[in-house]
Amino acid sequence: MTQHVPQEKSTFDRDAAGVFSVELGDETFQFRRVRFDDRKVVGVQIAEAAGAHPIEAFVILRHLRSGELESIRPTESVDLGEVGVERFFVTRGDDLHRFTVEGLSMEWPKAKLAAKHIKFLAKAEEEQELVLDTE
């Protein structure tokens, strides 16, 4: 059972009743809190919580504490009680574009991503500059 509860809080939350809460974002970097009754969920449950239908048209990404992004398959299990499981993105797309930021591995389902969003993902400080390095 999944219950959607929008909240402003941006840190991992697990209440005494065993409900696990994570941030769920979309391609516009709008977030909402989603609560799961189970400690272990699969990618399709995360996608369903985001209203992503059909699942084949969406990509599920886990935003790691390091700032890196990793894709989650629809059948892949995620332990929400594990330290650092706090934020997911569910975005429309069928291809992943890989890039790195200061050695952090990133992937995103759109060919373009705003600099402010790259800085957010990489957990960069406001005063840090983002420089595009191409061949």
Side-chain angles (χ1 to χ4, degrees), residues 8-95:
E8 294 296 320
K9 197 165 123 182
S10 65
T11 58
F12 178 69
D13 178 27
R14 177 179 34 179
D15 67 22
V19 175
F20 298 85
S21 181
V22 297
E23 286 186 339
L24 193 58
D26 60 16
E27 61 272 357
T28 65
F29 285 66
Q30 297 297 310
F31 294 95
R32 61 187 171 98
R33 293 301 264 176
V34 177
R35 301 179 83 181
F36 293 94
D37 293 336
D38 299 318
R39 177 182 173 139
K40 291 188 177 182
V41 296
V42 293
V44 73
Q45 289 175 283
I46 297 166
E48 286 174 356
H53 301 286
I55 184 65
E56 297 80 16
F58 289 85
V59 173
I60 306 157
L61 299 169
R62 177 179 165 187
H63 191 204
L64 301 172
R65 180 171 277 185
S66 67
E68 293 179 291
L69 290 169
E70 71 175 6
S71 58
I72 303 294
R73 296 179 310 276
T75 57
E76 186 174 350
S77 179
V78 177
D79 185 345
L80 299 178
E82 188 180 299
V83 174
V85 180
E86 302 171 357
R87 180 180 298 133
F88 295 90
F89 288 91
V90 178
T91 63
R92 188 172 290 279
D94 56 3
D95 191 21

Side-chain angles (χ1 to χ4, degrees), residues 103-131:
L104 298 176
S105 178
M106 305 279 186
E107 48 192 18
W108 195 253
K110 307 282 183 195
K112 295 182 181 180
L113 184 58
K116 68 180 181 178
H117 293 151
I118 294 171
K119 287 178 70 172
F120 174 85
L121 291 171
K123 300 182 179 190
E125 299 295 327
E126 186 65 34
E127 65 277 357
Q128 287 182 286
E129 291 184 7
L130 180 66
V131 178

